[in-house]
Amino acid sequence: MKLQPAIHLVIGGLFLLSVAGCATTRPDKSRTLIWSDEFNNKGLPDSSKWNYDTGGSGFGNEEAQFYTKDRLENARVENGKLVIEARKEDREDKKYTSARLLTKGKFSFQYGTVEVRAKLPKGRGTWPAIWMMSEDMKKWPDDGELDIMEHVGYHQGYIHASVHTKKYNHIMQTQKTDTLFVQDASEKFHVYKADWSPEKIEVYVDNKKFFTYENKEKTTGAWPFDKPYFIILNLAIGGFWGGKEGIDDTIFPQKFEIDYVRVYQNK
């Protein structure tokens, strides 16, 4: 049901969550909706809101897919949902195709709340993500990365949230991260949310907070999050994490379905 406007493996801890239904967002007078995509159109994603990353470079993660652009087979809006679909098919030197959508150049914001209602793919080799990076990204990880949701198919149901900075990142194995178990993440829609302020970042699933990163050190090496960031939605296949236990070719096609993306400014 829709409401109208009203990388990463060190685990710091584990909460458990099993939800029979899904959470919905209630109107909240303490915040104002400043951007959203309800995916009420049909066909290709709204080009006024979304750009694409394309190609088969592996994107620094040794990923196995080729990301396409303006191709309905890999990214489309249908039945009120954005569908990012990974398929087993050859494209250049890759054996899989998928899509990576981002608001870079279209929309970015500094501080607020991001909510994404989504249902995740499943199967060994899948690696969907909801994340954010600096609009003025010059160097990773110095300019920061916020991972609101990551899920690898061989570790079914475990939702990961992380931040990456110059001081804390997965290359140095110092990144700040935590994990929540959501039993039906690939069967039902759940709301993945990040609250971002100058003091801290908090990440939730269905209003269950499981990750907090505080701006304790007051340095750019530890906290580069005082600048505008854009949103990324993608479904990777394989890679150094998603493909750690191989890729099961019998699972394709796999869909990452997004019901809405909403960004609020908090009063």
PDB file of all heavy atoms in Angstrom, residues 54-79:
ATOM      1  N   THR A  54      26.631   3.097 -15.784  1.00  0.00           N
ATOM      2  CA  THR A  54      26.604   2.042 -16.785  1.00  0.00           C
ATOM      3  C   THR A  54      27.980   1.402 -16.937  1.00  0.00           C
ATOM      4  O   THR A  54      29.004   1.959 -16.535  1.00  0.00           O
ATOM      5  CB  THR A  54      26.162   2.594 -18.155  1.00  0.00           C
ATOM      6  OG1 THR A  54      27.080   3.625 -18.566  1.00  0.00           O
ATOM      7  CG2 THR A  54      24.758   3.175 -18.084  1.00  0.00           C
ATOM      8  N   GLY A  55      27.974   0.201 -17.521  1.00  0.00           N
ATOM      9  CA  GLY A  55      29.220  -0.468 -17.844  1.00  0.00           C
ATOM     10  C   GLY A  55      29.468  -1.708 -17.012  1.00  0.00           C
ATOM     11  O   GLY A  55      28.695  -2.071 -16.134  1.00  0.00           O
ATOM     12  N   GLY A  56      30.594  -2.352 -17.319  1.00  0.00           N
ATOM     13  CA  GLY A  56      30.943  -3.603 -16.664  1.00  0.00           C
ATOM     14  C   GLY A  56      32.304  -3.557 -16.007  1.00  0.00           C
ATOM     15  O   GLY A  56      33.026  -4.555 -15.981  1.00  0.00           O
ATOM     16  N   SER A  57      32.641  -2.406 -15.428  1.00  0.00           N
ATOM     17  CA  SER A  57      33.982  -2.220 -14.859  1.00  0.00           C
ATOM     18  C   SER A  57      34.187  -2.956 -13.543  1.00  0.00           C
ATOM     19  O   SER A  57      35.306  -3.102 -13.081  1.00  0.00           O
ATOM     20  CB  SER A  57      34.234  -0.730 -14.631  1.00  0.00           C
ATOM     21  OG  SER A  57      33.338  -0.215 -13.660  1.00  0.00           O
ATOM     22  N   GLY A  58      33.093  -3.396 -12.928  1.00  0.00           N
ATOM     23  CA  GLY A  58      33.200  -4.006 -11.606  1.00  0.00           C
ATOM     24  C   GLY A  58      33.073  -3.011 -10.483  1.00  0.00           C
ATOM     25  O   GLY A  58      32.930  -3.387  -9.321  1.00  0.00           O
ATOM     26  N   PHE A  59      33.168  -1.712 -10.808  1.00  0.00           N
ATOM     27  CA  PHE A  59      32.912  -0.620  -9.876  1.00  0.00           C
ATOM     28  C   PHE A  59      33.688  -0.752  -8.578  1.00  0.00           C
ATOM     29  O   PHE A  59      33.192  -0.457  -7.498  1.00  0.00           O
ATOM     30  CB  PHE A  59      31.409  -0.496  -9.622  1.00  0.00           C
ATOM     31  CG  PHE A  59      30.658  -0.019 -10.838  1.00  0.00           C
ATOM     32  CD1 PHE A  59      30.263  -0.914 -11.813  1.00  0.00           C
ATOM     33  CD2 PHE A  59      30.404   1.327 -11.017  1.00  0.00           C
ATOM     34  CE1 PHE A  59      29.602  -0.474 -12.959  1.00  0.00           C
ATOM     35  CE2 PHE A  59      29.741   1.778 -12.160  1.00  0.00           C
ATOM     36  CZ  PHE A  59      29.344   0.864 -13.133  1.00  0.00           C
ATOM     37  N   GLY A  60      34.918  -1.220  -8.678  1.00  0.00           N
ATOM     38  CA  GLY A  60      35.779  -1.320  -7.515  1.00  0.00           C
ATOM     39  C   GLY A  60      35.489  -2.493  -6.610  1.00  0.00           C
ATOM     40  O   GLY A  60      36.179  -2.696  -5.611  1.00  0.00           O
ATOM     41  N   ASN A  61      34.451  -3.275  -6.958  1.00  0.00           N
ATOM     42  CA  ASN A  61      34.033  -4.392  -6.111  1.00  0.00           C
ATOM     43  C   ASN A  61      34.138  -5.750  -6.798  1.00  0.00           C
ATOM     44  O   ASN A  61      33.636  -6.741  -6.275  1.00  0.00           O
ATOM     45  CB  ASN A  61      32.567  -4.186  -5.671  1.00  0.00           C
ATOM     46  CG  ASN A  61      32.370  -2.930  -4.864  1.00  0.00           C
ATOM     47  OD1 ASN A  61      33.167  -2.606  -3.994  1.00  0.00           O
ATOM     48  ND2 ASN A  61      31.301  -2.203  -5.154  1.00  0.00           N
ATOM     49  N   GLU A  62      34.744  -5.784  -7.991  1.00  0.00           N
ATOM     50  CA  GLU A  62      34.861  -7.023  -8.768  1.00  0.00           C
ATOM     51  C   GLU A  62      33.489  -7.601  -9.133  1.00  0.00           C
ATOM     52  O   GLU A  62      33.312  -8.818  -9.245  1.00  0.00           O
ATOM     53  CB  GLU A  62      35.697  -8.066  -8.012  1.00  0.00           C
ATOM     54  CG  GLU A  62      37.082  -7.584  -7.633  1.00  0.00           C
ATOM     55  CD  GLU A  62      37.822  -8.548  -6.723  1.00  0.00           C
ATOM     56  OE1 GLU A  62      37.320  -9.671  -6.512  1.00  0.00           O
ATOM     57  OE2 GLU A  62      38.892  -8.183  -6.222  1.00  0.00           O
ATOM     58  N   GLU A  63      32.500  -6.724  -9.326  1.00  0.00           N
ATOM     59  CA  GLU A  63      31.150  -7.174  -9.643  1.00  0.00           C
ATOM     60  C   GLU A  63      31.100  -7.831 -11.018  1.00  0.00           C
ATOM     61  O   GLU A  63      31.871  -7.510 -11.914  1.00  0.00           O
ATOM     62  CB  GLU A  63      30.183  -5.995  -9.577  1.00  0.00           C
ATOM     63  CG  GLU A  63      30.098  -5.364  -8.189  1.00  0.00           C
ATOM     64  CD  GLU A  63      29.401  -4.021  -8.183  1.00  0.00           C
ATOM     65  OE1 GLU A  63      28.635  -3.730  -9.122  1.00  0.00           O
ATOM     66  OE2 GLU A  63      29.635  -3.243  -7.239  1.00  0.00           O
ATOM     67  N   ALA A  64      30.132  -8.746 -11.188  1.00  0.00           N
ATOM     68  CA  ALA A  64      30.078  -9.586 -12.381  1.00  0.00           C
ATOM     69  C   ALA A  64      29.087  -9.105 -13.426  1.00  0.00           C
ATOM     70  O   ALA A  64      29.038  -9.664 -14.525  1.00  0.00           O
ATOM     71  CB  ALA A  64      29.736 -11.021 -11.983  1.00  0.00           C
ATOM     72  N   GLN A  65      28.287  -8.070 -13.108  1.00  0.00           N
ATOM     73  CA  GLN A  65      27.234  -7.645 -14.019  1.00  0.00           C
ATOM     74  C   GLN A  65      27.674  -6.493 -14.914  1.00  0.00           C
ATOM     75  O   GLN A  65      28.640  -5.794 -14.619  1.00  0.00           O
ATOM     76  CB  GLN A  65      25.991  -7.225 -13.236  1.00  0.00           C
ATOM     77  CG  GLN A  65      26.031  -5.807 -12.677  1.00  0.00           C
ATOM     78  CD  GLN A  65      27.027  -5.639 -11.535  1.00  0.00           C
ATOM     79  OE1 GLN A  65      27.219  -6.555 -10.744  1.00  0.00           O
ATOM     80  NE2 GLN A  65      27.660  -4.470 -11.439  1.00  0.00           N
ATOM     81  N   PHE A  66      26.899  -6.297 -15.983  1.00  0.00           N
ATOM     82  CA  PHE A  66      27.009  -5.106 -16.823  1.00  0.00           C
ATOM     83  C   PHE A  66      25.784  -4.251 -16.534  1.00  0.00           C
ATOM     84  O   PHE A  66      24.647  -4.698 -16.698  1.00  0.00           O
ATOM     85  CB  PHE A  66      27.057  -5.474 -18.302  1.00  0.00           C
ATOM     86  CG  PHE A  66      27.360  -4.310 -19.216  1.00  0.00           C
ATOM     87  CD1 PHE A  66      28.647  -4.096 -19.667  1.00  0.00           C
ATOM     88  CD2 PHE A  66      26.358  -3.437 -19.612  1.00  0.00           C
ATOM     89  CE1 PHE A  66      28.937  -3.017 -20.508  1.00  0.00           C
ATOM     90  CE2 PHE A  66      26.633  -2.362 -20.438  1.00  0.00           C
ATOM     91  CZ  PHE A  66      27.927  -2.150 -20.886  1.00  0.00           C
ATOM     92  N   TYR A  67      25.986  -3.012 -16.083  1.00  0.00           N
ATOM     93  CA  TYR A  67      24.881  -2.117 -15.804  1.00  0.00           C
ATOM     94  C   TYR A  67      24.443  -1.424 -17.096  1.00  0.00           C
ATOM     95  O   TYR A  67      25.259  -0.820 -17.787  1.00  0.00           O
ATOM     96  CB  TYR A  67      25.287  -1.050 -14.789  1.00  0.00           C
ATOM     97  CG  TYR A  67      25.343  -1.520 -13.352  1.00  0.00           C
ATOM     98  CD1 TYR A  67      26.415  -1.173 -12.535  1.00  0.00           C
ATOM     99  CD2 TYR A  67      24.320  -2.279 -12.795  1.00  0.00           C
ATOM    100  CE1 TYR A  67      26.463  -1.569 -11.203  1.00  0.00           C
ATOM    101  CE2 TYR A  67      24.357  -2.687 -11.479  1.00  0.00           C
ATOM    102  CZ  TYR A  67      25.426  -2.332 -10.682  1.00  0.00           C
ATOM    103  OH  TYR A  67      25.464  -2.729  -9.373  1.00  0.00           O
ATOM    104  N   THR A  68      23.144  -1.505 -17.401  1.00  0.00           N
ATOM    105  CA  THR A  68      22.622  -0.917 -18.632  1.00  0.00           C
ATOM    106  C   THR A  68      21.868   0.375 -18.340  1.00  0.00           C
ATOM    107  O   THR A  68      21.598   0.722 -17.186  1.00  0.00           O
ATOM    108  CB  THR A  68      21.677  -1.895 -19.340  1.00  0.00           C
ATOM    109  OG1 THR A  68      20.494  -2.084 -18.543  1.00  0.00           O
ATOM    110  CG2 THR A  68      22.353  -3.243 -19.566  1.00  0.00           C
ATOM    111  N   LYS A  69      21.498   1.074 -19.396  1.00  0.00           N
ATOM    112  CA  LYS A  69      20.768   2.337 -19.297  1.00  0.00           C
ATOM    113  C   LYS A  69      19.559   2.301 -20.219  1.00  0.00           C
ATOM    114  O   LYS A  69      19.649   1.807 -21.358  1.00  0.00           O
ATOM    115  CB  LYS A  69      21.691   3.508 -19.687  1.00  0.00           C
ATOM    116  CG  LYS A  69      21.013   4.867 -19.671  1.00  0.00           C
ATOM    117  CD  LYS A  69      21.980   5.960 -20.094  1.00  0.00           C
ATOM    118  CE  LYS A  69      21.281   7.323 -20.088  1.00  0.00           C
ATOM    119  NZ  LYS A  69      22.210   8.416 -20.509  1.00  0.00           N
ATOM    120  N   ASP A  70      18.436   2.836 -19.746  1.00  0.00           N
ATOM    121  CA  ASP A  70      17.216   2.952 -20.558  1.00  0.00           C
ATOM    122  C   ASP A  70      16.833   1.620 -21.185  1.00  0.00           C
ATOM    123  O   ASP A  70      16.442   1.551 -22.357  1.00  0.00           O
ATOM    124  CB  ASP A  70      17.404   4.010 -21.652  1.00  0.00           C
ATOM    125  CG  ASP A  70      17.564   5.412 -21.075  1.00  0.00           C
ATOM    126  OD1 ASP A  70      17.091   5.651 -19.952  1.00  0.00           O
ATOM    127  OD2 ASP A  70      18.157   6.267 -21.759  1.00  0.00           O
ATOM    128  N   ARG A  71      16.913   0.563 -20.390  1.00  0.00           N
ATOM    129  CA  ARG A  71      16.577  -0.777 -20.875  1.00  0.00           C
ATOM    130  C   ARG A  71      15.533  -1.373 -19.933  1.00  0.00           C
ATOM    131  O   ARG A  71      15.825  -1.642 -18.763  1.00  0.00           O
ATOM    132  CB  ARG A  71      17.829  -1.657 -20.933  1.00  0.00           C
ATOM    133  CG  ARG A  71      17.609  -3.018 -21.549  1.00  0.00           C
ATOM    134  CD  ARG A  71      18.961  -3.719 -21.773  1.00  0.00           C
ATOM    135  NE  ARG A  71      18.789  -4.965 -22.498  1.00  0.00           N
ATOM    136  CZ  ARG A  71      18.826  -6.180 -21.945  1.00  0.00           C
ATOM    137  NH1 ARG A  71      19.055  -6.306 -20.631  1.00  0.00           N
ATOM    138  NH2 ARG A  71      18.659  -7.258 -22.663  1.00  0.00           N
ATOM    139  N   LEU A  72      14.328  -1.573 -20.432  1.00  0.00           N
ATOM    140  CA  LEU A  72      13.218  -2.030 -19.602  1.00  0.00           C
ATOM    141  C   LEU A  72      13.484  -3.371 -18.950  1.00  0.00           C
ATOM    142  O   LEU A  72      12.977  -3.648 -17.860  1.00  0.00           O
ATOM    143  CB  LEU A  72      11.941  -2.106 -20.445  1.00  0.00           C
ATOM    144  CG  LEU A  72      11.351  -0.773 -20.903  1.00  0.00           C
ATOM    145  CD1 LEU A  72      10.227  -1.013 -21.905  1.00  0.00           C
ATOM    146  CD2 LEU A  72      10.830   0.021 -19.711  1.00  0.00           C
ATOM    147  N   GLU A  73      14.269  -4.208 -19.597  1.00  0.00           N
ATOM    148  CA  GLU A  73      14.550  -5.521 -19.028  1.00  0.00           C
ATOM    149  C   GLU A  73      15.293  -5.415 -17.696  1.00  0.00           C
ATOM    150  O   GLU A  73      15.197  -6.315 -16.865  1.00  0.00           O
ATOM    151  CB  GLU A  73      15.380  -6.364 -20.002  1.00  0.00           C
ATOM    152  CG  GLU A  73      14.626  -6.819 -21.241  1.00  0.00           C
ATOM    153  CD  GLU A  73      14.663  -5.799 -22.361  1.00  0.00           C
ATOM    154  OE1 GLU A  73      15.050  -4.626 -22.108  1.00  0.00           O
ATOM    155  OE2 GLU A  73      14.311  -6.159 -23.495  1.00  0.00           O
ATOM    156  N   ASN A  74      16.031  -4.318 -17.495  1.00  0.00           N
ATOM    157  CA  ASN A  74      16.827  -4.160 -16.275  1.00  0.00           C
ATOM    158  C   ASN A  74      16.294  -3.115 -15.304  1.00  0.00           C
ATOM    159  O   ASN A  74      16.564  -3.213 -14.100  1.00  0.00           O
ATOM    160  CB  ASN A  74      18.270  -3.813 -16.625  1.00  0.00           C
ATOM    161  CG  ASN A  74      18.986  -4.922 -17.379  1.00  0.00           C
ATOM    162  OD1 ASN A  74      19.490  -4.717 -18.476  1.00  0.00           O
ATOM    163  ND2 ASN A  74      19.022  -6.108 -16.787  1.00  0.00           N
ATOM    164  N   ALA A  75      15.551  -2.136 -15.771  1.00  0.00           N
ATOM    165  CA  ALA A  75      14.986  -1.117 -14.880  1.00  0.00           C
ATOM    166  C   ALA A  75      13.703  -0.587 -15.495  1.00  0.00           C
ATOM    167  O   ALA A  75      13.717  -0.029 -16.593  1.00  0.00           O
ATOM    168  CB  ALA A  75      15.975   0.019 -14.640  1.00  0.00           C
ATOM    169  N   ARG A  76      12.598  -0.762 -14.766  1.00  0.00           N
ATOM    170  CA  ARG A  76      11.300  -0.338 -15.279  1.00  0.00           C
ATOM    171  C   ARG A  76      10.365  -0.054 -14.112  1.00  0.00           C
ATOM    172  O   ARG A  76      10.595  -0.498 -12.987  1.00  0.00           O
ATOM    173  CB  ARG A  76      10.690  -1.421 -16.171  1.00  0.00           C
ATOM    174  CG  ARG A  76      10.447  -2.734 -15.449  1.00  0.00           C
ATOM    175  CD  ARG A  76      10.013  -3.842 -16.395  1.00  0.00           C
ATOM    176  NE  ARG A  76       9.820  -5.109 -15.699  1.00  0.00           N
ATOM    177  CZ  ARG A  76      10.802  -5.979 -15.437  1.00  0.00           C
ATOM    178  NH1 ARG A  76      12.039  -5.714 -15.824  1.00  0.00           N
ATOM    179  NH2 ARG A  76      10.540  -7.105 -14.809  1.00  0.00           N
ATOM    180  N   VAL A  77       9.308   0.681 -14.412  1.00  0.00           N
ATOM    181  CA  VAL A  77       8.258   0.934 -13.437  1.00  0.00           C
ATOM    182  C   VAL A  77       7.008   0.202 -13.895  1.00  0.00           C
ATOM    183  O   VAL A  77       6.560   0.374 -15.038  1.00  0.00           O
ATOM    184  CB  VAL A  77       7.977   2.438 -13.293  1.00  0.00           C
ATOM    185  CG1 VAL A  77       6.847   2.677 -12.296  1.00  0.00           C
ATOM    186  CG2 VAL A  77       9.242   3.173 -12.852  1.00  0.00           C
ATOM    187  N   GLU A  78       6.483  -0.636 -13.014  1.00  0.00           N
ATOM    188  CA  GLU A  78       5.264  -1.376 -13.326  1.00  0.00           C
ATOM    189  C   GLU A  78       4.501  -1.653 -12.035  1.00  0.00           C
ATOM    190  O   GLU A  78       5.098  -1.888 -10.982  1.00  0.00           O
ATOM    191  CB  GLU A  78       5.587  -2.687 -14.047  1.00  0.00           C
ATOM    192  CG  GLU A  78       6.449  -3.648 -13.274  1.00  0.00           C
ATOM    193  CD  GLU A  78       6.821  -4.900 -14.055  1.00  0.00           C
ATOM    194  OE1 GLU A  78       6.710  -4.880 -15.293  1.00  0.00           O
ATOM    195  OE2 GLU A  78       7.210  -5.887 -13.412  1.00  0.00           O
ATOM    196  N   ASN A  79       3.183  -1.571 -12.113  1.00  0.00           N
ATOM    197  CA  ASN A  79       2.320  -1.854 -10.962  1.00  0.00           C
ATOM    198  C   ASN A  79       2.697  -1.026  -9.736  1.00  0.00           C
ATOM    199  O   ASN A  79       2.645  -1.507  -8.601  1.00  0.00           O
ATOM    200  CB  ASN A  79       2.364  -3.345 -10.616  1.00  0.00           C
ATOM    201  CG  ASN A  79       1.916  -4.226 -11.769  1.00  0.00           C
ATOM    202  OD1 ASN A  79       0.948  -3.911 -12.462  1.00  0.00           O
ATOM    203  ND2 ASN A  79       2.633  -5.320 -11.998  1.00  0.00           N
TER     204      ASN A  79
END
